[in-house]
Amino acid sequence: QNGEVSETRNPDGTLRLRNPNIENLKEDILYHLALSTVSHDLVKMFGDVKFVCMGGTAKRMEHLAQYLQSEINYELPIGTSLCDLTEKSHRFAMYKVGPILCVNHGMGVPSIGILLHEITKLMYHAKVKNPIFFRIGTCGGIGLKEGTVIVAKSVVDEMGNTFHTQKICGKVVQRPAKLDQQLVKELTSLRKSDDTFNVVEGVTMCADDFYEGQGRTDGAFCDHTEEDKVNYLNELVKRGVTNIEMEATAFAALTHYAGIKAALINVALVNRLNGDQVTTPKETLLEWQNHPQILVGRYIKKVLRSE
Ligand code: R2B
Ligand code: URA
């Protein structure tokens, strides 16, 4: 990507924002990260970032940072320890180990959408070159064994649309939800024959709810029947959908719009063709949640080794 001049990229790989207003701000406050261009030296703090890993929960992102730290043999600067860099925000939690940033995004499109605005601006202000974003998440699989890792080759919403929809100033704006196909191939190729889990390419569906929005019949409300659910899930299978989660369209569309290479890697915690409830013990779920992290760790190590 270096050397390219585009709407979203300078020749040196730093980002160009699709928003001329930001340049004119005296101070840009990244409110939900509790960081600002005046109170923090963002270039010094984040200028060396190459990879941004996002996932739902703060705890998982802390574990991910610890895991990746040992994977890349990174020693934190003397006298420092791993700490939440957005602690004052009381919203998200963010950890940095050398070139890797791990940040949680909460649940659902609005939450990850806010984070993507602010992380993209952070990359811009910090003059980061060619960052790669990952969402490392959990999902419900459709006909897949629990623990399977799904690397999304494409993304759809509940209606089968391949774009992210947002209402802006009273208008409905659609942005294509596209992912980097080369990255999909590279990630799936990193499965090893002795891995205890399978890795598949898939079509990830993004829902705006965990219960009714994913056809579940075990929410507090349910005005559809078990048959409606089964028909819907079968329809999704026909459309090629492999798994359901709650952030995919925003993640794919906003990274694509920003010109940022990105991959969406989810682990299935339940096979929705067998039921709605997540009945597996917490320890097993936590072990499954390591699967996408292992894959991304291998990718990051490979890139760093080749530099
Ligand atoms: C997967 O898991 C969460 C819901 O339990 C949601 O953030 C998602 O995408
Ligand atoms: N996350 C979801 O959004 N759905 C599931 O079924 C499991 C995790």
Side-chain angles (χ1 to χ4, degrees), residues 16 76-77 113 205 244 293 304:
R16 294 173 68 168
L76 291 166
M205 183 184 112
I244 310 176
Q293 308 191 357
L304 293 179

Side-chain angles (χ1 to χ4, degrees), residues 56 105-108 135 137-139 210 214 244-247 266:
H105 57 59
M107 284 190 282
R135 171 169 132 72
T138 60
C139 65
F210 182 81
Q214 298 188 19
I244 310 176
E245 46 85 283
M246 297 180 60
E247 293 83 16
N266 285 299

Side-chain angles (χ1 to χ4, degrees), residues 3-301:
E4 260 176 42
V5 193
S6 72
E7 246 183 311
T8 55
R9 201 59 59 97
N10 293 312
D12 66 353
T14 53
L15 299 185
R16 294 173 68 168
L17 288 183
R18 291 182 184 271
N19 180 4
N21 302 316
I22 301 301
E23 266 182 73
N24 303 326
L25 293 177
K26 283 206 185 68
E27 175 176 17
D28 189 11
I29 298 171
L30 308 177
Y31 169 59
H32 303 85
L33 297 178
L35 295 168
S36 120
T37 50
V38 170
S39 57
H40 298 83
D41 185 340
L42 298 178
V43 175
K44 195 163 162 213
M45 286 175 78
F46 299 103
D48 61 342
V49 167
K50 294 186 164 73
F51 309 97
V52 178
C53 303
M54 302 178 185
T57 77
K59 210 60 212 159
R60 185 146 47 82
M61 290 303 103
E62 187 182 0
H63 286 151
L64 176 63
Q66 285 160 349
Y67 170 72
L68 293 174
Q69 182 183 357
S70 76
E71 283 297 295
I72 66 168
N73 287 323
Y74 180 79
E75 291 201 22
L76 291 166
I78 295 172
T80 67
S81 60
L82 197 64
C83 65
D84 174 5
L85 298 169
T86 67
E87 201 188 359
K88 291 205 174 73
S89 77
H90 298 200
R91 287 284 181 192
F92 297 116
M94 182 160 75
Y95 301 89
K96 183 175 181 299
V97 281
I100 309 168
L101 210 54
C102 299
V103 57
N104 82 304
H105 57 59
M107 284 190 282
V109 162
S111 184
I112 198 172
I114 295 167
L115 183 76
L116 283 165
H117 274 277
E118 293 184 11
I119 289 284
T120 303
K121 291 202 291 175
L122 180 61
M123 298 295 101
Y124 164 77
H125 290 306
K127 302 192 191 308
V128 168
K129 294 178 181 153
N130 300 314
I132 302 180
F133 284 15
F134 301 99
R135 171 169 132 72
I136 299 174
T138 60
C139 65
I142 309 184
L144 294 170
K145 189 167 176 270
E146 293 89 340
T148 300
V149 173
I150 302 105
V151 182
K153 59 175 192 252
S154 60
V155 160
V156 291
D157 70 9
E158 302 97 321
M159 309 305 288
N161 298 312
T162 56
F163 45 76
H164 162 57
T165 304
Q166 189 163 2
K167 289 118 196 158
I168 304 174
C169 298
K171 295 204 176 79
V172 177
V173 175
Q174 299 170 341
R175 292 182 175 140
K178 285 193 184 161
L179 293 159
D180 188 287
Q181 297 303 304
Q182 175 69 26
L183 196 48
V184 173
K185 296 281 171 230
E186 283 178 63
L187 284 163
T188 47
S189 75
L190 291 173
R191 180 180 183 270
K192 293 186 179 164
S193 53
D194 58 353
D195 281 337
T196 56
F197 54 91
N198 202 4
V199 179
V200 298
E201 281 182 21
V203 179
T204 300
M205 183 184 112
C206 179
D208 274 343
D209 172 42
F210 182 81
Y211 288 100
E212 293 170 283
Q214 298 188 19
R216 281 187 161 83
T217 54
D218 62 342
F221 321 105
C222 182
D223 299 327
H224 61 278
T225 63
E226 183 67 20
E227 194 190 354
D228 293 334
K229 175 184 90 180
V230 170
N231 289 343
Y232 182 55
L233 291 176
N234 286 336
E235 178 60 33
L236 294 182
V237 171
K238 263 198 230 146
R239 289 189 212 151
V241 173
T242 47
N243 60 313
I244 310 176
E245 46 85 283
M246 297 180 60
E247 293 83 16
T249 49
F251 177 78
L254 299 183
T255 51
H256 178 67
Y257 197 53
I260 293 170
K261 191 159 148 174
L264 176 59
I265 307 114
N266 285 299
V267 63
L269 301 185
V270 57
N271 178 358
R272 289 298 311 288
L273 299 185
N274 295 341
D276 293 343
Q277 299 236 319
V278 181
T279 51
T280 306
K282 193 72 185 168
E283 310 84 76
T284 313
L285 293 177
L286 290 175
E287 141 56 25
W288 288 344
Q289 287 175 37
N290 293 334
H291 298 168
Q293 308 191 357
I294 294 170
L295 215 58
V296 169
R298 284 178 194 156
Y299 178 82
I300 289 177
K301 275 195 289 186

